[in-house]
């Protein structure tokens, strides 16, 4: 099972929960292979070129649906080169603010960002990831100007948000 995000990410954890059940049902071991980068497109390219023998599964997020719009030169077509098997789960993203900011409400965050346009950073787990899409939707809805910082995955992003290197981010609730 090729996983498009880093170990410890929500997608990885879901894969680790699903793999043993799949192993039991299929009668063979299912092993995770994390190939993070570019919002799951690195793993997508590997999965798309895998032998079509039924032994490769690709576990990704909403990023898979957005990848063609964000990466016009993808070496694969998300709709043509993949056969969906099942939606495994769904999880909302939550807004997370660095504890060092002492902000407690969304109103506080918006006021802080509007006082320093273009100076406050927000982080996400890579272009096209659910955390990136949530962040961009928030930027547009709130009409704010911040610095977008891309990470390879949510674990590193959250660590930097907790320590204050990143002012705020969105994280899957899982």
């Amino acid at each position: 099972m090729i996983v498009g995000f880093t170990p410890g990410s929500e997608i990885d954890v879901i894969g680790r929960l699903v793999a043993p059940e799949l192993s039991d049902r299929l009668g063979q071991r299912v092993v995770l292979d994390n190939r993070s980068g570019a919002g799951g497109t690195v793993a997508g390219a590997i999965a798309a070129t895998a032998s079509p023998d039924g032994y490769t599964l690709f576990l990704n997020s909403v990023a898979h649906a957005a990848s063609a719009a964000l990466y016009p030169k993808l070496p694969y077509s998300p709709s043509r080169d993949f056969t969906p098997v099942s939606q495994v789960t769904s999880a909302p993203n939550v807004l997370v603010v660095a504890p060092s900011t002492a902000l407690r409400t969304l109103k506080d965050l918006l006021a802080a960002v509007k006082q320093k346009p273009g100076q406050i950073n927000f982080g996400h787990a890579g272009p096209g990831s659910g955390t990136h899409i949530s962040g961009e939707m928030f930027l547009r809805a709130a009409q704010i100007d911040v610095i977008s910082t891309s990470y390879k995955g949510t674990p590193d992003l959250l660590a930097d948000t907790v320590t204050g290197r990143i002012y705020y981010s969105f994280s899957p609730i899982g």
Side-chain angles (χ1 to χ4, degrees):
M1 180 183 299
I2 299 171
V3 178
F5 294 91
T6 58
S9 65
E10 184 177 39
I11 301 301
D12 173 71
V13 171
I14 291 165
R16 291 179 192 282
L17 292 170
V18 169
E21 181 69 26
L22 276 176
S23 293
D24 290 345
R25 290 182 183 215
L26 296 173
Q28 62 186 40
R29 189 165 178 203
V30 174
V31 178
L32 268 64
D33 182 7
N34 294 83
R35 299 297 183 100
S36 64
T41 61
V42 170
I46 294 166
T49 57
S51 177
D53 57 11
Y55 287 97
T56 301
L57 295 170
F58 176 44
L59 183 63
N60 202 350
S61 70
V62 67
H64 190 66
S67 60
L70 294 170
Y71 301 98
K73 294 184 180 184
L74 277 177
Y76 61 88
S77 166
S79 59
R80 186 184 62 243
D81 295 333
F82 293 88
T83 302
V85 176
S86 176
Q87 177 177 334
V88 179
T89 188
S90 123
N93 286 315
V94 295
L95 177 64
V96 181
V97 179
S100 61
T101 66
L103 302 175
R104 296 293 173 252
T105 68
L106 181 59
K107 187 176 178 180
D108 293 343
L109 174 62
L110 290 173
V113 171
K114 287 181 180 183
Q115 285 178 351
K116 298 180 180 179
Q119 297 176 46
I120 290 178
N121 60 4
F122 102 91
H124 56 82
S129 66
T131 59
H132 179 231
I133 292 168
S134 293
E136 291 296 327
M137 289 173 64
F138 177 65
L139 292 176
R140 292 186 197 293
Q143 298 179 352
I144 55 176
D145 178 21
V146 297
I147 300 166
S148 175
T149 307
S150 183
Y151 282 76
K152 285 186 178 179
T154 305
D156 292 338
L157 166 62
L158 285 177
D160 278 3
T161 305
V162 168
T163 60
R165 288 185 197 98
I166 292 294
Y167 203 83
Y168 76 92
S169 60
F170 284 85
S171 174
I173 203 161

